[in-house]
């Protein structure tokens, strides 16, 4: 902080205040914030204090500015203050209005306002306190003089600091946005497109010079007028305005060609886009219309004038709606790529001559046909549909764009992305796969033929949702899968269906469990047992039992047992980035899921003592094998939203039938089961069974939910540690053991993956116990997240106070 060079000397005799000039600059920082899509930089606030003499009030503002790190100057008379302001262009000017003999505050304010630099300056008058029994004087004279606000004298440093901080984060930031608007209006004023902005009542608020030139109307002719009252072109389609209004009132853009009548009377054609602008509560506040001069479009038309145009379509559409189309190819897409038109037309002809009748191409062809005889609004909507259908990620969600959703972004990126950012190829690329030998049937023991009483006591409740698999892990000495598996498989008659003995089944369970990694905190045989128990529970739901047969049940139970077999405790993205041999083997696609499936059949088929499929007919084996593989592959998270969306579409049949039942009073369970029992729908239901079972931890009782949350976090922490050690990309930076918020990681996971999936599952097969636990657990994690944030804020406050005390 400094006094201006032209200000009185010797104002601050204390050496301590002179030293603050240096400490202030050390703590002054700039900040950034968003204004819509713009990123604005807010520099350290500059304050000018104008006080005729030093007193407690001027000192209060001085120390407040020092504490906040603002740049501050002090002037003692009006001439020096004006000169200092013109030299520095302060953001805030605080003028003492209490002592008119020293400084004429209102005259000084008018002088500052007379300068061009003061457009975005905030000027504050410091006024005297008035006794409570006297009427408060009017602030109108201050406002007329150019003051923005007043401050009733209060020399408390905290009050002064609050005043300055509220200005910085309120009015000053608003002024910065207004300055940014100057840049935006400059862009609008210099674009070749005609821009018109109206209120929601269609009252003109702004037009740019290009619009004036295009239409012949000046901004003075239009401001405050209803745009609908202007003369209209008779060439437009009669219902054009209703069509536009119906589109934009839904919050959607409208695009098309429209005729405009100029002020001189002639008609012009423009490519027009009308964009609604939402305000608070989602209500439309403005409409922005962009008109593109037809001269640019004529160049495109001339360039592609030899492209064939659908005669039927051109005859159907009125003049302003004529569009250039051959099949499903929009001329606008051709005009942007700059390739040679002759070769382009040959390629297009070849494409249209193709007869590949995949389901998606059949859908696209149907839409193309529908467009030929549809109004423009329908054609435009179907164009958007085609654009979406031609993407390769039809079911992948858009990632959150908010800064507050960073954890959700990283979850989606870490669990659903298979892109490798960096590959390592070395002799150690099998660090995770093959670092321990696979257990074979020679290690099988018959020690578990008898079930100890403490284990039996736990597994007796395996048919209930509150079954405690963690307790089973403890009493079975980390061998829960074989005990639980034998109990569940016996209940479902798996050995009888497969035509195998219980001894073979027990041998198989021992072999499978021994090939789960006990060192993994999450992806171990306890997780497999947990998923098996959840799968069995879902298979027992009436609606599921009505649809799937015993082969589906047996395949589902086996898939649950093996779905994470030989899991290395690392994600697919890690293996891909590491250049792991498994990633190379499976071409970076569903690496682990492919490995789990393949290893299941490799281990099972090696020895008759463990081969539970050996007595099946070839056709039956192939059928059950395909189901198992499909279900294991369904646990891969990159396809999560695809499986969920297809399942929701499938179960709409349930909602429709139930609605018809409620209206007619006639129950049609056979019709419903028949509709859902198609091979395609049964596949979707099986996938949802294992998907819901695989990530069902959030729907378990809170004590189990918390245990699993800690386990998965620890496994991800270990992966992050290893990624840093090996110099690999960190797939999920949120799982850094030093910075991770466990409650936030859980609520984000619930929001992205859990809520929608279990809402759909509950709507299908009615699982109220799960939904009750889910709601309770989500509330618990939300509360913990809030407590954690409060603790963080408290610590930051303490640190800030300590730093502030050291500065003083």
């Amino acid at each position: 902080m400094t006094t201006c060079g032209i200000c009185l000397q010797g104002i601050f005799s204390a050496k301590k205040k002179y030293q603050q000039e240096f400490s202030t600059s050390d703590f002054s920082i700039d900040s950034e914030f968003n204004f819509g899509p713009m990123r604005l930089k807010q520099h350290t606030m500059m304050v000018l204090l104008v006080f005729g003499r030093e007193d407690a009030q001027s000192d209060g503002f001085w120390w407040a500015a020092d504490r906040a790190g603002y740049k501050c100057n002090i002037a003692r008379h009006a001439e020096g203050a004006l000169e200092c302001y013109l030299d520095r262009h302060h953001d805030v000017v605080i003028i003492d209005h209490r002592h008119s003999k020293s400084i004429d505050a209102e005259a000084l304010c008018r002088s500052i306002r007379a300068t061009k630099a003061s457009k975005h300056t905030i000027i504050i008058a410091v006024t005297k306190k008035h006794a409570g029994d006297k009427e408060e004087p009017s602030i109108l004279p201050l406002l007329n003089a150019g003051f923005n606000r007043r401050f009733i004298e209060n020399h408390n440093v905290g009050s002064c600091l609050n005043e300055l901080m509220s200005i910085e984060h309120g009015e000053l930031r608003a002024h910065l946005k207004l300055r940014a608007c100057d840049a935006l209006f400059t862009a609008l004023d210099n674009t070749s497109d005609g821009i018109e902005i109206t209120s929601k009542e269609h009252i003109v608020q702004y037009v740019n010079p290009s619009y004036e030139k295009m239409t012949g109307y000046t901004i003075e002719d239009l401001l405050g007028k209803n745009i609908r009252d202007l003369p209209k072109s008779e060439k437009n389609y009669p219902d054009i305005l209703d069509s536009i209004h119906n589109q934009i009132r839904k919050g959607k853009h409208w695009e098309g060609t429209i005729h405009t009548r100029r002020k001189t009377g002639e008609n012009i054609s423009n490519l027009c886009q009308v964009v609604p602008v939402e305000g608070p509560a989602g209500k439309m506040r403005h409409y922005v219309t962009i008109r593109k001069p037809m001269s640019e479009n004529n160049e495109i038309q001339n360039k592609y004038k030899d492209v064939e145009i659908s005669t039927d379509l051109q005859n159907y559409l009125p003049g302003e709606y004529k569009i250039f189309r051959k099949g499903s190819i929009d001329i606008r897409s051709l005009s942007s790529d700059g390739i040679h038109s002759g070769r382009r037309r040959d390629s297009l002809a070849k494409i249209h001559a193709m007869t590949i009748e995949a389901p998606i191409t059949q859908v696209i062809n149907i839409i193309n046909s529908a467009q030929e005889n549809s109004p423009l609004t329908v054609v435009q909507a179907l164009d958007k549909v085609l654009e979406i259908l031609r993407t390769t990620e039809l079911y992948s969600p858009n990632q959150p764009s908010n800064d507050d959703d960073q954890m959700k972004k990283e979850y989606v990126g870490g669990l659903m992305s298979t892109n490798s950012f960096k590959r390592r190829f070395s002799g150690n690329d099998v660090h995770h796969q093959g670092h321990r030998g696979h257990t074979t049937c020679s290690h099988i023991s018959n020690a578990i033929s008898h079930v100890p009483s403490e284990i039996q006591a736990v597994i007796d409740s395996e048919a209930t949702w509150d079954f405690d698999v963690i307790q089973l892990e403890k009493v079975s000495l980390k061998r829960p899968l074989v005990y639980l598996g034998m109990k569940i498989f016996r209940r479902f008659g798996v050995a009888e269906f497969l035509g195998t003995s219980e001894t073979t089944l027990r041998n198989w369970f021992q072999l499978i469990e021994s090939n789960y990694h006990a060192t993994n905190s999450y992806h171990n045989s306890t997780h497999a047992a947990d998923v098996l128990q959840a799968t069995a529970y879902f298979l027992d739901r009436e609606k599921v039992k009505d649809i799937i047969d015993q082969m589906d049940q047996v395949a589902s139970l086996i898939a649950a047992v093996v779905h994470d077999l030989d899991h290395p405790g690392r994600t697919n993205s890690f293996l891909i980035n590491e250049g792991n041999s498994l990633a190379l083997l499976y071409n970076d696609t569903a690496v682990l899921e492919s490995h789990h499936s393949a290893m299941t059949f490799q281990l099972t088929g090696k020895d008759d003592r463990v081969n539970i499929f050996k007595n099946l007919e070839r056709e039956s084996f192939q059928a059950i094998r395909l189901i198992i593989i499909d279900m294991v592959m369904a646990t891969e998270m990159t396809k999560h939203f695809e499986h969920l969306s297809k399942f929701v579409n499938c179960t709409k049949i349930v909602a429709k039938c139930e609605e018809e039942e409620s209206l007619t009073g006639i129950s049609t369970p056979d019709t419903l089961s028949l509709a859902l029992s198609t091979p395609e729908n049964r596949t979707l239901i099986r996938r949802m069974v294992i998907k819901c079972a695989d990530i069902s931890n959030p729907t378990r009782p809170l004590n189990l939910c918390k245990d699993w949350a800690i386990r998965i976090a620890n496994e991800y922490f270990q992966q992050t540690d290893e990624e840093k050690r090996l110099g690999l990309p960190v797939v999920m930076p949120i799982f850094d053991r030093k910075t991770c918020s466990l409650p936030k990681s859980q609520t984000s996971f619930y929001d992205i993956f859990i809520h929608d999936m279990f809402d759909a599952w509950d709507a299908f097969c009615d699982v109220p116990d799960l939904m009750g636990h889910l709601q309770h657990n989500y509330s618990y994690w939300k509360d913990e997240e809030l407590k954690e944030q409060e603790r963080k804020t408290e610590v930051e406050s303490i640190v800030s106070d300590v730093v502030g005390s050291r500065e003083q």
Side-chain angles (χ1 to χ4, degrees):
M1 296 184 185
T2 61
T3 58
C4 294
I6 47 80
C7 297
L8 297 176
Q9 301 296 319
I11 292 174
F12 299 105
S13 57
K15 183 178 180 182
K16 183 177 182 181
K17 289 188 176 181
Y18 174 78
Q19 292 170 338
Q20 295 301 319
E21 179 178 358
F22 301 97
S23 63
T24 299
S25 61
D26 292 339
F27 291 96
S28 301
I29 57 171
D30 297 340
S31 61
E32 293 184 345
F33 65 95
N34 288 334
F35 175 41
M38 293 184 70
R39 188 71 172 169
L40 303 181
K41 187 170 185 177
Q42 184 170 351
H43 295 283
T44 303
M45 190 167 76
M46 296 183 63
V47 182
L48 173 60
L49 304 178
V50 186
F51 286 79
R53 61 172 182 261
E54 181 181 4
D55 62 4
Q57 186 63 70
S58 65
D59 284 349
F61 275 116
W62 172 280
W63 291 114
D66 176 76
R67 184 180 297 180
Y70 303 137
K71 300 175 182 177
C72 188
N73 300 107
I74 296 183
R76 293 300 186 209
H77 52 81
E79 295 80 6
L82 187 58
E83 186 175 343
C84 185
Y85 173 76
L86 292 174
D87 180 54
R88 304 286 180 90
H89 296 162
H90 301 81
D91 301 300
V92 180
V93 179
I94 302 175
I95 304 175
D96 187 2
H97 194 276
R98 300 167 299 166
H99 310 294
S100 57
K101 293 181 180 179
S102 303
I103 295 175
D104 187 340
E106 294 182 16
L108 175 58
C109 182
R110 290 190 183 94
S111 298
I112 293 175
R113 287 296 181 210
T115 65
K116 191 174 181 180
S118 69
K119 181 178 179 181
H120 297 293
T121 300
I122 301 160
I123 307 180
I124 304 170
V126 178
T127 61
K128 292 181 179 179
K129 284 184 180 178
H130 290 270
D133 56 344
K134 292 185 178 181
E135 184 177 351
E136 185 79 13
S138 171
I139 65 167
L140 191 59
L142 296 177
L143 297 175
N144 290 336
F147 287 100
N148 296 92
R149 59 198 289 170
R150 70 167 178 173
F151 179 82
I152 299 175
E153 62 179 342
N154 183 345
H155 62 266
N156 181 277
V157 175
S159 297
C160 296
L161 179 60
N162 289 337
E163 178 76 4
L164 294 176
M165 291 177 67
S166 65
I167 292 170
E168 179 189 19
H169 293 279
E171 290 175 76
L172 182 58
R173 187 159 289 190
H175 280 280
L176 287 173
K177 293 177 180 179
L178 290 175
R179 292 181 193 176
C181 289
D182 290 342
L184 295 177
F185 278 115
T186 300
L188 293 176
D189 287 344
N190 289 277
T191 183
S192 60
D193 294 343
I195 309 293
E196 159 203 313
I197 301 176
T198 67
S199 68
K200 63 177 181 179
E201 294 83 12
H202 306 286
I203 304 300
V204 177
Q205 298 174 318
Y206 168 84
V207 295
N208 70 344
S210 293
Y211 183 96
E212 293 177 308
K213 182 179 179 182
M214 198 179 296
T215 64
Y217 291 98
T218 65
I219 190 169
E220 291 78 13
D221 295 332
L222 297 173
L223 287 183
K225 304 286 180 63
N226 192 312
I227 195 69
R228 294 187 167 195
D229 294 339
L230 294 180
K232 300 174 181 62
S233 172
E234 65 281 357
K235 291 187 177 183
N236 282 324
Y237 187 68
D239 297 329
I240 182 72
L241 291 180
D242 290 337
S243 175
I244 296 173
H245 181 69
N246 289 336
Q247 188 83 347
I248 62 178
R249 74 178 180 179
K250 299 175 185 176
K252 298 180 179 179
H253 295 197
W254 181 91
E255 294 182 33
T257 306
I258 195 169
H259 290 284
T260 303
R261 183 188 289 272
R262 287 174 51 85
K263 188 176 183 180
T264 54
E266 67 266 26
N267 292 303
I268 58 172
S269 297
N270 302 117
L271 279 181
C272 184
Q273 183 178 14
V274 185
V275 182
V277 180
E278 287 188 4
K283 295 182 179 179
M284 300 306 155
R285 295 299 182 188
H286 305 275
Y287 296 114
V288 177
T289 303
I290 306 164
R291 301 171 188 267
K292 198 172 286 291
M294 282 303 292
S295 56
E296 296 179 15
N297 305 318
N298 289 336
E299 293 176 8
I300 297 173
Q301 294 175 22
N302 292 334
K303 182 176 180 180
Y304 294 99
K305 61 186 178 182
D306 52 346
V307 175
E308 217 176 306
I309 301 172
S310 169
T311 306
D312 293 339
L313 183 60
Q314 293 286 25
N315 290 339
Y316 175 80
L317 295 174
E320 70 274 19
Y321 284 126
K322 291 189 177 180
I323 55 177
F324 298 83
R325 177 181 301 282
K326 178 181 180 183
S328 63
I329 304 299
D330 192 329
I331 191 66
R332 288 169 293 178
S333 67
L334 299 181
S335 64
S336 62
D337 55 16
I339 59 176
H340 299 295
S341 58
R343 183 168 61 82
R344 176 73 168 179
R345 289 194 301 276
D346 291 342
S347 298
L348 293 176
K350 291 178 181 178
I351 291 172
H352 286 290
M354 291 182 180
T355 58
I356 301 173
E357 286 299 319
I360 189 63
T361 59
Q362 291 175 338
V363 171
I364 291 174
N365 290 337
I366 291 170
I367 293 173
N368 287 334
S369 299
Q371 284 183 308
E372 296 298 326
N373 295 303
S374 299
L376 178 64
T377 52
V378 176
V379 172
Q380 291 172 333
L382 293 178
D383 274 338
K384 298 291 185 183
V385 172
L386 289 170
E387 182 180 338
I388 294 169
L389 289 177
R390 290 187 177 109
T391 64
T392 57
E393 300 297 332
L394 294 179
Y395 295 92
S396 296
N398 295 324
Q399 290 198 21
S401 57
N402 246 334
D403 290 341
D404 294 339
D405 291 329
Q406 185 62 31
M407 183 165 285
K408 294 181 182 178
K409 287 183 185 178
E410 292 181 8
Y411 248 130
V412 173
L415 294 180
M416 299 191 62
S417 174
T418 58
N419 295 331
S420 71
F421 302 98
K422 180 178 179 181
R423 297 298 299 265
R424 287 169 54 93
F425 297 97
S426 70
N428 298 319
D429 66 353
V430 292
H431 179 72
H432 287 284
Q433 189 274 329
H435 69 283
R436 58 190 284 279
H438 299 142
T439 304
T440 62
C441 54
S442 60
H443 293 80
I444 291 172
S445 166
N446 289 320
I448 62 161
S449 56
H450 171 70
V451 179
S453 58
E454 61 271 22
I455 295 177
Q456 187 65 50
V458 177
I459 63 176
D460 279 345
S461 62
E462 55 84 14
T464 66
W465 186 250
D466 292 351
F467 172 73
D468 192 343
V469 74
I470 303 298
Q471 180 62 23
L472 179 59
E473 177 190 66
K474 294 176 182 176
V475 297
S476 66
L477 304 179
K478 294 190 175 182
R479 297 192 337 187
L481 184 57
V482 64
Y483 291 106
L484 182 65
M486 290 299 296
K487 175 78 161 53
I488 291 175
F489 274 38
R490 188 175 295 117
R491 178 157 65 90
F492 280 85
V494 174
E496 291 81 1
F497 178 83
L498 295 175
T500 191
S501 66
E502 287 209 354
T503 301
T504 302
L505 199 58
R506 189 184 306 111
N507 291 342
W508 180 79
F509 267 116
Q510 288 184 272
L511 177 63
I512 295 300
E513 183 157 37
S514 64
N515 279 281
Y516 272 96
H517 298 198
T519 55
N520 292 345
S521 61
Y522 184 89
H523 288 101
N524 50 39
S525 68
T526 306
H527 169 64
D530 183 55
V531 175
L532 171 62
Q533 190 273 335
T535 299
Y537 183 86
F538 295 149
L539 293 176
D540 261 344
R541 301 307 93 199
E542 286 301 322
K543 197 158 286 183
V544 178
K545 287 197 292 188
D546 288 342
I547 294 167
I548 66 175
D549 58 22
Q550 191 176 10
M551 177 176 284
D552 290 326
Q553 289 183 336
V554 172
S556 298
L557 295 171
I558 295 172
V561 171
V562 303
H563 82 283
D564 274 331
L565 185 62
D566 195 39
H567 197 294
R570 301 292 182 264
T571 63
N572 279 332
S573 296
F574 178 95
L575 300 181
I576 293 169
N577 291 335
E578 185 193 33
N580 188 279
S581 61
L582 288 177
L584 300 178
L585 177 63
Y586 295 111
N587 298 316
D588 295 352
T589 304
V591 177
L592 285 172
E593 293 71 25
S594 300
H595 176 60
H596 304 323
S597 303
M599 189 172 179
T600 295
F601 292 99
Q602 288 171 2
L603 291 177
T604 304
K606 279 186 176 180
D607 193 303
D608 278 354
R609 288 178 294 172
V610 297
N611 190 351
I612 58 177
F613 305 119
K614 62 185 176 184
N615 294 325
L616 289 177
E617 297 291 335
R618 178 181 295 275
E619 292 77 9
S620 298
F621 170 70
Q622 289 296 332
I624 200 170
R625 169 177 155 82
L626 289 176
I627 295 173
I628 294 168
I629 293 173
D630 180 79
M631 292 185 70
V632 173
M633 297 300 288
T635 63
E636 200 228 346
M637 293 303 290
T638 62
K639 300 293 184 182
H640 173 82
F641 292 99
E642 176 177 346
H643 297 319
L644 177 58
S645 299
K646 289 179 177 179
F647 174 75
V648 169
N649 290 331
C650 155
T651 54
K652 286 179 181 177
I653 301 171
V654 177
K656 185 177 179 181
C657 290
E658 290 177 347
E659 184 178 354
E660 291 177 355
E661 286 180 14
S662 65
L663 293 175
T664 63
I666 301 173
S667 179
T668 55
D670 293 340
T671 305
L672 177 59
S673 296
L674 188 63
L676 288 175
S677 295
T678 63
E680 295 81 4
N681 288 341
R682 283 165 53 196
T683 296
L684 295 176
I685 292 167
R686 288 194 304 262
R687 289 172 181 171
M688 283 299 292
V689 165
I690 196 166
K691 283 185 63 60
C692 289
D694 190 26
I695 52 176
S696 63
N697 307 148
T699 67
R700 295 289 191 178
L702 181 59
N703 63 312
L704 299 176
C705 170
K706 289 163 61 177
D707 199 314
W708 286 117
I710 293 169
R711 290 180 179 220
I712 189 63
N714 282 331
E715 196 166 287
Y716 287 154
F717 290 159
Q718 292 170 6
Q719 174 170 311
T720 300
D721 292 342
E722 187 165 3
E723 284 166 335
K724 291 180 178 180
R725 182 174 60 80
L726 297 177
L728 299 176
V730 177
V731 173
M732 288 186 286
I734 52 173
F735 285 103
D736 186 315
R737 65 176 72 249
K738 296 179 181 178
T739 60
C740 180
S741 165
L742 182 60
K744 177 63 176 173
S745 73
Q746 285 298 297
T747 57
S748 297
F749 185 72
Y750 284 41
D751 289 338
I752 300 170
F753 298 108
I754 298 300
H755 285 306
D756 288 343
M757 184 172 73
F758 278 96
D759 283 343
W761 189 238
D762 178 52
F764 172 66
C765 65
D766 189 24
V767 283
D769 292 346
L770 281 72
M771 302 310 290
H773 288 314
L774 176 57
Q775 184 176 359
H776 177 67
N777 295 341
Y778 186 72
S779 298
Y780 169 79
W781 290 119
K782 271 294 183 185
D783 290 343
E784 290 299 304
E785 184 182 343
L786 181 61
K787 292 176 185 177
E788 190 176 80
Q789 185 59 44
E790 289 173 349
R791 290 193 295 269
K792 181 180 178 183
T793 302
E794 184 179 351
V795 170
E796 289 175 349
S797 176
I798 295 172
V799 171
S800 177
D801 290 344
V802 171
V803 172
S805 64
R806 289 179 179 176
E807 291 175 16
Q808 294 182 11

